[in-house]
Amino acid sequence: MIVMKFGGSSLESAASIERVAGIVKTRESRRPVVVVSAMGKTTNRLLAIGQAASDGRQPDALGQLAELKQYHAAEASAIVCENDRSGLTAMIEEHFAELAQQVARIAQAEEFPARMIDAVSALGERLSSRIVTLAFRYFGIDAVHVDSRSVLITDSRHTQAAPLFSRTYARLAETVSPLAARQVVVMGGFIGSTLDGVTTTLGRGGSDYTASIVGAGISAEEIQIWTDVDGMLTSDPRIVPGGHLIKTISFAEAAELAYFGAKVLHPATVQPAIEKNIPVLVLNSRRPEASGTRIVKETVPCRNVIKSIACKPGITVVKIQSLRMLMAHGFLRRIFEVFDRFKTPVDMVSTSEVSVSLTIDNPQYLAEIRQELDRIADVEVESGRAIVCIVGDNIRGTPGVGARIFHALRDINVLMVSQGSSQLNFSFVIDARDLKAAVDALHTEFFAEPDPEVFAA
Ligand code: ADP
Ligand code: ASP
Ligand code: MG
């Protein structure tokens, strides 16, 4: 059995779904379980609808809802069998009626709480998985739909739910494995439910994570992440196009890249795969013949010191200076407790005798965090920053990497540096306006001669 996950960009239209069906069909003998994201940009659009409702713009919300419904109906109607047509219409009506009810409730409450965010955003994958199932039948694939919420059981941390692994694995083994032996199972990514049956989501980009949880639960021989690029690249193509394809990379390196911004893979994806030692492949649904990136357990020997450069713009730096001359015992604990209370992950930390600087990428609770910190320290906040992270498992044993990095960045103001905690990465913070120049300079420095064993042009 294999898991094949298709992202929103691979499912944005009837034509792309047809292409996906073609890819799955040629791999039917490997007994695929297909995990799908919402179609195109549906998740963003659903969230915008909920936001409009909570901001008191209900007509706007309903207008957007009608457009989204029309989009699903139009794309899907081209790729279902005549027999399934009325079922499709009823299914779409039902889901959008549910959304309209949610809009009314959000508008009345004038708020869009996390539990509601999950209920609204889950509609994307609930719809796409049903549409893809019908489309697969139309294209001659014997497909069966499984509602992920009946197998992927999570805690109740809405918008960032964590899977309850033993229950989820048990349900996958009980329900999905036997079905997949006979038919192509289609499931929505990203969504799950609590033990009480309340809908949850795994966080943005979470369909990759679903794929890997499903892969581990059914002991798949391979987890394939099908997307809109040839694989993992040596630079983020949205910042610096023209990076090289990485043919093979280790789980540890891929996890680090994902964590520091390589959107191509959700950071949690590698975890279940590592535990069961299942290789993960990143492949291009527009060029299915290309070999993609293979993510494996072993370290990958490479003549280049690094494998890739990841980056995250939209970073906020919080500089916290102790009110005393030295950092008192317990000071760091008190600081981190504040971030913890507001469920705000900290990405990077650097400390000196009297101050600590840290970065966050979710400023939702920044005002509250700041208010609490102001009681114990002098606080300064800088937004519009970016983290750049250089990843490669040769960094640990190679002298002179730091010198090469800072030489490449000689014209750029580096605001924070962190190296050593994982030994696989070297990360630093710069002004987001310098991001392109910094990644360009580093790419030129480290990939002038890419090792052909590891990289493709
Ligand atoms: P999907 O809809 O398939 O989940 P995503 O948009 O989540 O696709 O992820 C694919 C995108 O990740 C690519 O289009 C690319 O812009 C971005 N990306 C960022 N860093 C990298 C990288 N190092 N290698 C490849 N893609 C990257
Ligand atoms: N549809 C969800 C999102 O856009 C999950 C995913 O695509 O991975 O975040
Ligand atoms: Mg994605």
Side-chain angles (χ1 to χ4, degrees), residues 229-241:
V229 280
D230 276 352
M232 295 191 92
L233 307 170
T234 50
S235 64
D236 184 333
R238 294 164 301 180
I239 308 292
V240 173

Side-chain angles (χ1 to χ4, degrees), residues 238-262:
R238 294 164 301 180
I239 308 292
V240 173
H244 313 290
L245 171 71
I246 309 168
K247 292 194 278 190
T248 320
I249 190 166
S250 69
F251 279 133
E253 291 168 319
E256 207 86 0
L257 282 173
Y259 185 73
F260 283 101

Side-chain angles (χ1 to χ4, degrees), residues 363-374:
Q364 190 183 355
Y365 297 111
L366 189 57
E368 290 89 339
I369 289 171
R370 186 166 187 165
Q371 204 176 12
E372 298 257 326
L373 290 175
D374 275 337

Side-chain angles (χ1 to χ4, degrees), residues 200-224:
T200 53
T201 68
L202 303 178
R204 294 306 307 270
S207 295
D208 301 333
Y209 191 22
T210 305
S212 130
I213 296 165
V214 171
I218 64 168
S219 301
E221 65 197 59
E222 197 170 282
I223 297 161
Q224 303 179 346

Side-chain angles (χ1 to χ4, degrees), residues 126-416:
R126 289 172 55 197
L127 280 159
S128 65
S129 55
R130 284 176 173 82
I131 290 172
V132 168
T133 308
L134 295 179
F136 278 6
R137 291 189 194 147
Y138 177 72
F139 292 113
I141 299 169
D142 182 12
V144 57
H145 180 256
V146 169
D147 189 331
S148 296
R149 296 173 302 166
S150 64
V151 284
L152 215 141
I153 308 304
T154 71
D155 65 11
S156 56
R157 271 185 52 197
H158 285 287
T159 73
Q160 282 296 332
L164 306 181
F165 282 102
S166 51
R167 280 176 200 272
T168 300
Y169 288 159
R171 291 204 188 184
L172 284 164
E174 270 161 34
T175 55
V176 175
S177 292
L179 269 180
R182 296 187 303 273
Q183 286 174 287
V184 173
V185 175
V186 181
M187 307 171 57
F190 179 57
I191 60 177
S193 82
T194 64
L195 277 170
D196 303 329
V198 179
T199 298
T200 53
T201 68
L202 303 178
R204 294 306 307 270
S207 295
D208 301 333
Y209 191 22
T210 305
S212 130
I213 296 165
V214 171
I218 64 168
S219 301
E221 65 197 59
E222 197 170 282
I223 297 161
Q224 303 179 346
I225 306 291
W226 291 84
T227 183
D228 62 350
V229 280
D230 276 352
M232 295 191 92
L233 307 170
T234 50
S235 64
D236 184 333
R238 294 164 301 180
I239 308 292
V240 173
H244 313 290
L245 171 71
I246 309 168
K247 292 194 278 190
T248 320
I249 190 166
S250 69
F251 279 133
E253 291 168 319
E256 207 86 0
L257 282 173
Y259 185 73
F260 283 101
K263 186 174 174 251
V264 62
L265 207 64
H266 184 280
T269 312
V270 294
Q271 208 49 50
I274 291 178
E275 279 162 23
K276 300 270 164 102
N277 193 17
I278 306 171
V280 176
L281 268 71
V282 181
L283 297 154
N284 190 346
S285 68
R286 288 178 177 78
R287 292 199 335 119
E289 67 289 351
S291 52
T293 298
R294 193 174 179 81
I295 309 175
V296 295
K297 193 174 170 197
E298 311 77 46
T299 56
V300 178
C302 179
R303 286 215 299 272
N304 299 75
V305 178
I306 66 167
K307 297 274 188 347
S308 183
I309 306 164
C311 53
K312 258 194 202 180
I315 293 293
T316 303
V317 174
V318 184
K319 290 167 132 182
I320 303 155
Q321 183 146 5
S322 168
L323 294 175
R324 307 196 195 160
M325 286 303 284
L326 291 171
M327 268 205 257
H329 150 81
F331 184 65
L332 286 176
R333 179 176 51 74
R334 289 172 68 192
I335 290 172
F336 284 108
E337 266 171 8
V338 175
F339 286 89
D340 189 42
R341 213 170 317 131
F342 290 99
K343 295 192 170 39
T344 299
V346 169
D347 286 331
M348 206 167 128
V349 187
S350 84
T351 63
S352 80
E353 212 164 278
V354 290
S355 66
V356 47
S357 292
L358 41 82
T359 68
I360 57 173
D361 74 352
N362 179 359
Q364 190 183 355
Y365 297 111
L366 189 57
E368 290 89 339
I369 289 171
R370 186 166 187 165
Q371 204 176 12
E372 298 257 326
L373 290 175
D374 275 337
R375 293 198 209 139
I376 52 170
D378 280 331
V379 182
E380 255 179 73
V381 170
E382 296 173 355
S383 52
R385 304 297 186 230
I387 292 184
V388 179
C389 175
I390 290 179
V391 172
D393 56 16
N394 282 347
I395 291 179
R396 71 184 109 195
T398 311
V401 180
R404 287 177 69 185
I405 292 171
F406 287 112
H407 180 71
L409 298 176
R410 59 195 174 278
D411 296 325
I412 287 163
N413 191 15
V414 176
L415 305 167
M416 259 172 88

